Amino acid sequence: MGAQDSAVARFLENGGRCPPGRDELEFTLIGPGYGESVILHVGNGSWVLVDSCIDAEQEPCALTYLNGIGVDPARDVCMVVASHWHDDHIRGMARLVEACGSAKFCCASALCKEEFLTVVGTLQNRPLTAASSGVRELHRVFSRLAETGRHCTFASVNRKVFSRGECDVWSLSPSDRAFETFLKSIGDLLPAVGQAKRRSLDVFPNKAAVALWIQVADTAVLLGSDVEKKDWKEIANNTERPQKKALVFKVPHHGSANAHEPSIWKGMLIADPVAALTPWRRGGRTLPKRSDIARLVSCTEYAYATSRNETPAAPGRRRDKVVERTIRESGIQLRKTGMPDGGIRLRRPAGPKRDWVVELFGSAYRLSTA
Amino acid sequence: MTSLAPLSAEISTMPPRAAAEQASSARVGNVADGFVPNVNGAVRAARARGAAASARVINYQRHNDTAFTSPVEMESGSEARIASMPRKLPHANRTTGATLQALQQWEGYVVDVHQDEFTARLTDLTAAASHEEEEALIPMTEVADNDAELAVLGGVFRWVIGYERSPSGTKKRVSQIVFRRLPAMTQDDIEKGKAWARKILQSPGF
């Protein structure tokens, strides 16, 4: 699948190129089959990008989209956020940071502690694999920021990380407790001296994910990153966070039950908010499960996913027949890591009581139709 | 002793296409390169296990089979460099004179270990991919006995499918998984990591 065949490219070709009006808010979630990226128009031609994923041509999806609707990333993107360092949220982030030359970069303060940076620097000193990884991407991002002297903003609980005009961006996590837990877990990432090196895996519980509250005048959007249930409880109970209710919710951790906290739905979101998620698969495990979908549908009528949990209809790489036959005979089961690609675009003119215009592209669908 | 397409630690610092080029030009290697020679060992293990083969071997009688195609596609600007590469792989086994033609190569790492199999994420080196696009559930019987202990979380391996040709003209189709014996973490590695961390933290934007 080339870039021209991606869901984003097809969407742009088929009428999706029109940029939002200056007073129009936009929330776009792109899921290329593995990973996710959120693109927000926060008014007056300013854009905020949260997380990064890449298409089959290894181009960050957010850049493909912004270029396609006539937005200049170097001039118009004012903030790029890495909500955490897992592979599925950070692929292509270094390219994104470079292309968005006037944007502030924001990540969890925990990621800029010397302990974590030492892990990143050590693991990337002599990379073990040709494949990219979250650690490698972070190494590139920080190296680039340091070379260019660009400003870095650090997210923590209840911190206003960006403000322009009527737009405020707050980080709601990680909490001090999550921060400490994260620092304690860092040691597990690095083999002890004398132990064999291994490829870094992002399977460790993520305690440094950044949940974001983005408010433009009276409209708020809550981005859940991969924040887990325990941390959501703290966020919901925090009295110092912005107290409005969000209209749009980027569902955390691909709809997983371990990231579902009922008090968020009751206390931080309007009734029947628009909820959007990307699916995830690793080994035999997939998210969201059927039970997750049922739960989300019970929470809101307007829940969407960028694709179903299924193998793409399009074939993977074409290989020599001999290779295909050998794979079959070996008993090795090979499958694509990704799922079909798709996206969800929401637009809404500023002002109270306006409805969101929802556009689904690629394999995106409404969960209630599952 | 044969090592297929030895992967040095530095390969990953190359652009993916360059890595694929290096991978496609398999050469004689040794343990120091990180891969344990195991073609013969794998075959022996396969024989010992009967039908379950760690290196699946199929004898071919059609010696003029030309199924091999170069795994490196032409790219603008790189024709000269690629043209100078061998279209067929050189001798990979100095003792027997056998050669290996790699039809397909992946680099993989283990993400989950089960009782009799493991899950790995694969990067297609033949296609010069830069990230994992495929996942494989691999029976442990596909791994040579002396590599089994390396099939742990984060373990890195190379999976090669190709033809092995003997000097007598016998052609075998092989699928083999070769785990890297990864180097040990050193104090020097950590000191370099610390130095990089300090450099980042002392830069103006931080």
Side-chain angles (χ1 to χ4, degrees):
Chain A
M1 186 177 71
Q4 292 76 15
D5 303 322
S6 72
V8 174
R10 290 196 305 274
F11 175 59
L12 293 169
E13 284 302 314
N14 294 304
R17 288 192 183 278
C18 180
R22 290 189 72 78
D23 68 339
E24 203 172 14
L25 307 179
E26 176 176 329
F27 165 99
T28 295
L29 174 65
I30 297 176
Y34 183 77
E36 65 182 46
S37 185
V38 178
I39 302 162
L40 294 135
H41 179 237
V42 294
N44 298 315
S46 295
W47 295 79
V48 173
L49 308 180
V50 181
D51 294 336
S52 180
C53 54
I54 55 177
D55 60 26
E57 299 296 311
Q58 292 149 38
E59 183 72 3
C61 296
L63 290 183
T64 303
Y65 176 74
L66 291 177
N67 288 325
I69 62 170
V71 170
D72 178 3
R75 183 194 62 200
D76 300 329
V77 176
C78 50
M79 179 165 239
V80 176
V81 183
S83 77
H84 61 299
W85 64 284
H86 285 175
D87 282 0
D88 59 334
H89 289 254
I90 203 169
R91 281 183 176 171
M93 181 59 79
R95 281 218 53 213
L96 205 58
V97 167
E98 187 152 4
C100 303
S102 59
K104 274 187 179 179
F105 176 75
C106 176
C107 67
S109 53
L111 300 191
C112 283
K113 295 300 289 181
E114 187 167 354
E115 296 94 320
F116 183 71
L117 289 174
T118 297
V119 170
V120 173
T122 303
L123 291 175
Q124 282 313 110
N125 185 26
R126 287 188 74 183
L128 298 174
T129 62
S132 66
S133 70
V135 168
R136 184 177 305 177
E137 198 71 41
L138 264 188
H139 188 274
R140 287 178 181 155
V141 169
F142 288 139
S143 295
R144 185 69 188 149
L145 290 171
E147 282 165 16
T148 54
R150 294 229 337 243
H151 188 66
C152 198
T153 302
F154 302 115
S156 56
V157 65
N158 295 336
R159 182 157 191 215
K160 192 188 280 188
V161 291
F162 180 78
S163 183
R164 178 180 290 180
E166 289 190 295
C167 172
D168 290 327
V169 179
W170 291 79
S171 58
L172 306 180
S173 65
S175 66
D176 293 345
R177 181 192 54 76
F179 185 100
E180 289 300 318
T181 309
F182 176 77
L183 287 184
K184 282 178 189 166
S185 71
I186 284 175
D188 297 335
L189 295 171
L190 211 57
V193 170
Q195 282 185 350
K197 293 178 182 174
R198 56 183 184 265
R199 202 265 192 195
S200 60
L201 300 175
D202 56 9
V203 293
F204 301 95
N206 182 36
K207 296 296 178 191
V210 178
L212 287 175
W213 180 270
I214 298 174
Q215 190 161 330
V216 183
D218 63 331
T219 304
V221 172
L222 178 58
L223 304 181
S225 181
D226 277 0
V227 174
E228 294 174 3
K229 188 181 176 79
K230 193 173 180 181
D231 301 309
W232 279 119
K233 273 188 181 168
E234 289 183 13
I235 291 170
N237 293 334
N238 196 314
T239 54
E240 294 172 17
R241 63 171 169 78
Q243 294 296 318
K244 282 183 178 287
K245 292 197 171 184
L247 280 67
V248 176
F249 187 33
K250 204 294 287 179
V251 178
H253 204 215
H254 317 284
S256 165
N258 72 8
H260 178 74
E261 172 51 42
S263 58
I264 296 295
W265 290 86
K266 286 180 188 161
M268 296 183 71
L269 303 167
I270 63 165
D272 280 328
V274 181
L277 64 85
T278 58
W280 174 90
R281 176 163 61 201
R282 182 167 209 150
R285 298 185 294 274
T286 58
L287 292 172
K289 296 176 186 169
R290 281 169 188 261
S291 55
D292 298 325
I293 292 174
R295 188 189 63 247
L296 288 164
V297 169
S298 74
C299 289
T300 177
E301 194 179 335
Y302 308 106
Y304 303 90
T306 54
S307 85
R308 295 172 197 273
N309 262 336
E310 58 191 23
T311 304
R317 292 189 186 281
R318 286 186 183 171
R319 296 198 167 101
D320 190 297
K321 283 181 184 173
V322 176
V323 172
E324 296 288 356
R325 191 165 74 240
T326 310
I327 293 170
R328 280 198 304 275
E329 290 171 358
S330 71
I332 294 175
Q333 296 172 41
L334 205 57
R335 60 188 166 219
K336 286 180 75 71
T337 52
M339 284 169 275
D341 62 337
I344 302 155
R345 183 163 83 178
L346 313 175
R347 283 182 177 172
R348 176 181 185 268
K353 296 186 179 176
R354 301 288 189 92
D355 290 331
W356 290 99
V357 174
V358 181
E359 295 171 277
L360 305 180
F361 55 94
S363 300
Y365 76 109
R366 193 168 180 171
L367 291 186
S368 58
T369 65
Chain B
M1 298 283 277
T2 305
S3 175
L4 297 173
L7 175 69
S8 68
E10 285 72 22
I11 192 170
S12 55
T13 62
M14 299 176 186
R17 186 166 293 275
E21 288 164 9
Q22 176 167 331
S24 71
S25 57
R27 55 184 168 81
V28 175
N30 53 45
V31 177
D33 288 317
F35 275 94
V36 178
N38 84 332
V39 168
N40 297 331
V43 173
R44 280 198 301 275
R47 285 176 183 151
R49 282 197 292 270
S54 59
R56 201 160 291 276
V57 178
I58 298 102
N59 284 308
Y60 270 71
Q61 298 306 314
R62 288 189 301 121
H63 296 170
N64 60 349
D65 189 319
T66 53
F68 175 71
T69 53
S70 170
V72 181
E73 294 173 4
M74 286 298 186
E75 184 182 62
S76 175
S78 60
E79 287 84 350
R81 188 158 45 94
I82 293 172
S84 68
M85 291 173 52
R87 300 288 290 180
K88 292 185 179 180
L89 305 176
H91 283 281
N93 189 326
R94 282 179 176 155
T95 55
T96 65
T99 61
L100 179 79
Q101 293 178 346
L103 299 177
Q104 173 67 46
Q105 297 188 65
W106 292 268
E107 181 190 76
Y109 64 95
V110 179
V111 294
D112 215 348
V113 179
H114 321 286
Q115 192 169 358
D116 300 321
E117 56 198 6
F118 62 93
T119 304
R121 291 216 149 193
L122 304 176
T123 302
D124 188 335
L125 298 178
T126 306
S130 71
H131 61 276
E132 315 91 345
E133 295 171 336
E134 290 166 305
E135 204 168 68
L137 193 59
I138 302 175
M140 285 301 290
T141 52
E142 288 296 305
V143 178
D145 290 350
N146 55 355
D147 271 10
E149 65 182 27
L150 302 174
V152 294
L153 285 180
V156 179
F157 63 89
R158 180 76 66 91
W159 178 18
V160 183
I161 291 175
Y163 287 120
E164 189 184 62
R165 293 173 191 269
S166 72
S168 64
T170 308
K171 185 176 175 182
K172 299 170 185 171
R173 182 154 51 95
V174 297
S175 163
Q176 61 178 100
I177 290 171
V178 184
F179 270 87
R180 284 183 66 193
R181 305 238 172 224
L182 296 172
M185 181 65 70
T186 65
Q187 192 58 43
D188 183 54
D189 289 328
I190 293 174
E191 291 306 322
K192 283 178 178 163
K194 283 182 179 172
W196 180 82
R198 284 193 294 271
K199 183 180 139 194
I200 296 296
L201 290 171
Q202 286 165 6
S203 60
F206 282 75

